[in-house]
């Protein structure tokens, strides 16, 4: 059996009243300022290296998790307004303020990007972890000016709930479309989120709706079973019934959609894919083992364990 017996036990336990809340209590990395700095600069470097802009008036992040640090890093590199959209309110102002100060120091010191030695699981890997030269001294001086930092601190302490509030930071969970509005964002990004979104076609349609024409998406997506199956991609060999049993009522469970689904949905929503940096791993299962609903997976799907996908909204 490809499902780990432990996963079935945990999945069953989530049906016991009260126990579901023990799943997904923390989200991962954004408790660390260095993690947030690394993630933001990885998205930014990839944009720059693929000829895309790196300055934005308004940035939206889907699923910031334990802190708003990655979006705060966006503000500290010059972004005007940041809106954080999550389904669960994980972040709090005290942690955000602490991370903000640590991020200010990292930017002031032009620290190199924390690499695969420090964060072996963070994707995408970069060809250089040097502090990006396109974040010039003049650009950082403007972004880190004392008056601007005070405005950001005030917004972190008391975020707006909609971009219309005019604050540098907006955060609410669960998010609603009113927080952002149509054609308001220059960049929509996420890190390790889209594999958990239940209704992906709807999510892509909504995210494209938030973007201005020519606006950009940047998403790092993992396609692994996250420990539920013995093989990294064993989830594609499980029947829907078995998968449902293993997942139970966990707060966040992978939607099992492969790389090609995301590319297809972006193109269908009117975006042109510019960056598609796939992390490739030997498949843990043979094509013959695929569950009926995943028989259409290509060899590329079967061997893509994660991808950084960046796309431009055409119209
Ligand atoms: C693995 S965590 C990643 C958190 C953070 N981005 C990071 O880099 O550590 C997944 C996050 O996605 C959020 N999430 C899941 N489904 C979502 C949805 N439909 N809309 C917004 N956020 C969602 C979760 O609440 C959680 O904060």
């Amino acid at each position: 059996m490809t499902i780990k017996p432990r996963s079935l036990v945990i999945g069953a336990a989530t049906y016991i009243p009260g126990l579901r809340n023990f799943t997904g209590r923390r989200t991962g990395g954004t408790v660390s300022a260095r993690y947030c700095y690394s993630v933001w600069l990885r998205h930014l470097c990839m944009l720059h290296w693929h000829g895309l802009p790196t300055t934005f008036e308004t940035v939206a992040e889907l699923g910031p998790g334990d802190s708003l640090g990655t979006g705060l890093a966006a503000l500290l590199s010059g972004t005007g307004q940041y809106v954080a959209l999550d389904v669960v309110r994980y972040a709090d102002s005290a942690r955000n303020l602490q991370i903000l100060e640590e991020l200010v120091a990292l930017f002031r010191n032009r620290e190199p990007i924390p690499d695969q030695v420090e964060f072996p699981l963070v994707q995408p890997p970069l060809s250089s972890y040097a502090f990006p030269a396109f974040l010039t001294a003049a650009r950082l001086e403007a972004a880190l000016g004392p008056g601007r930092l005070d405005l950001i601190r005030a917004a972190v302490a008391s975020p707006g709930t909609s971009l219309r509030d005019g604050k540098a930071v907006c955060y609410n969970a669960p998010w609603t479309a009113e927080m952002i509005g149509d054609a308001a964002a220059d960049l929509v990004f996420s890190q390790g989120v889209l594999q958990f979104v239940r209704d992906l076609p709807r999510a892509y349609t909504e995210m494209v709706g938030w973007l201005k024409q020519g606006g950009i998406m940047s998403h790092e997506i993992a396609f692994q079973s996250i420990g539920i199956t013995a093989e990294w991609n064993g989830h594609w060999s499980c029947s829907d019934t078995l998968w449902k049993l293993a997942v139970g009522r966990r707060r966040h469970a992978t939607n099992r959609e492969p790389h090609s689904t995301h590319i297809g949905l972006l193109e269908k929503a009117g975006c042109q894919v510019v960056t598609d940096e796939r992390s490739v791993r030997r498949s843990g299962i043979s094509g013959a083992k695929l569950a009926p609903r995943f028989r259409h997976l290509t060899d590329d799907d079967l061997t893509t364990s994660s991808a950084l996908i960046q796309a431009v909204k055409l119209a």
Side-chain angles (χ1 to χ4, degrees):
M1 180 166 57
T2 186
I3 296 265
K4 290 183 184 167
R6 188 171 168 273
S7 304
L8 284 172
V9 173
I10 295 173
T14 61
Y15 287 97
I16 300 168
L19 286 192
R20 178 180 186 245
N21 293 339
F22 284 94
T23 70
R25 279 177 299 167
R26 290 268 164 265
T27 67
T30 59
V31 281
S32 149
R34 288 183 65 80
Y35 170 92
C36 299
Y37 180 76
S38 185
V39 166
W40 172 248
L41 290 182
R42 287 175 197 227
H43 282 266
L44 214 54
C45 284
M46 283 293 183
L47 289 169
H48 180 73
W49 294 339
H50 289 90
L52 294 168
T54 62
T55 51
F56 308 103
E57 186 46 42
T58 304
V59 167
E61 180 182 11
L62 203 67
D66 290 332
S67 88
L68 306 187
T70 311
L72 299 181
L75 290 173
L76 298 179
S77 49
T79 292
Q81 251 190 318
Y82 161 63
V83 54
L85 307 140
D86 211 321
V87 284
V88 179
R89 191 178 192 91
Y90 287 110
D92 64 64
S93 291
R95 185 185 293 129
N96 292 334
L97 281 167
Q98 184 198 327
I99 286 181
L100 176 68
E101 299 310 327
E102 290 173 35
L103 286 168
V104 169
L106 289 167
F107 276 104
R108 279 206 177 119
N109 296 335
R110 302 176 72 84
E111 288 280 344
I113 302 170
D115 60 11
Q116 298 315 105
V117 176
E118 184 169 347
F119 292 114
L121 299 180
V122 173
Q123 298 291 326
L126 300 181
S127 54
S128 165
Y129 292 88
F131 187 81
F134 59 83
L135 290 179
T136 59
R139 183 167 161 185
L140 283 190
E141 202 181 308
L144 302 174
R148 185 164 192 271
L149 285 186
D150 282 346
L151 281 177
I152 294 174
R153 285 187 188 104
V156 172
S158 169
T161 52
S162 144
L163 277 180
R164 280 183 297 277
D165 294 343
K167 296 192 179 184
V169 180
C170 304
Y171 176 47
N172 214 354
W175 63 265
T176 60
E178 289 73 51
M179 287 174 67
I180 176 160
D182 288 342
D186 303 281
L187 171 74
V188 177
F189 82 98
S190 69
Q191 179 78 15
V193 173
L194 289 179
Q195 66 265 32
F196 297 115
V197 169
R198 293 203 178 117
D199 188 345
L200 265 185
R202 185 171 164 206
Y204 274 106
T205 305
E206 289 195 291
M207 289 191 290
V208 172
W210 300 337
L211 280 178
K212 298 172 186 168
Q213 190 177 345
I216 292 161
M217 299 244 210
S218 183
H219 300 293
E220 172 60 41
I221 311 160
F223 305 108
Q224 299 145 22
S225 76
I226 323 178
I228 290 189
T229 58
E231 308 84 5
W232 73 265
N233 60 356
H235 50 328
W236 290 323
S237 68
C238 299
S239 67
D240 287 352
T241 310
L242 188 57
W243 183 251
K244 226 173 151 185
L245 278 175
V247 161
R249 295 173 63 238
R250 280 174 168 85
R251 215 182 238 175
H252 304 299
T254 165
N255 51 35
R256 297 199 286 168
E257 290 299 338
H259 172 256
S260 60
T261 300
H262 293 264
I263 299 289
L265 287 173
L266 272 166
E267 289 174 348
K268 195 171 165 208
C271 292
Q272 183 191 350
V273 174
V274 176
T275 310
D276 185 11
E277 293 279 339
R278 297 161 52 231
S279 290
V280 172
R281 192 167 166 186
R282 195 168 171 272
S283 177
I285 54 170
S286 67
K289 285 220 164 138
L290 289 171
R293 130 164 140 80
F294 295 110
R295 295 254 160 89
H296 67 283
L297 264 61
T298 61
D299 285 345
D300 276 357
D301 278 333
L302 264 180
T303 53
T304 303
S305 59
S306 67
L308 188 266
I309 304 174
Q310 297 178 322
V312 179
K313 177 175 174 175
L314 294 177

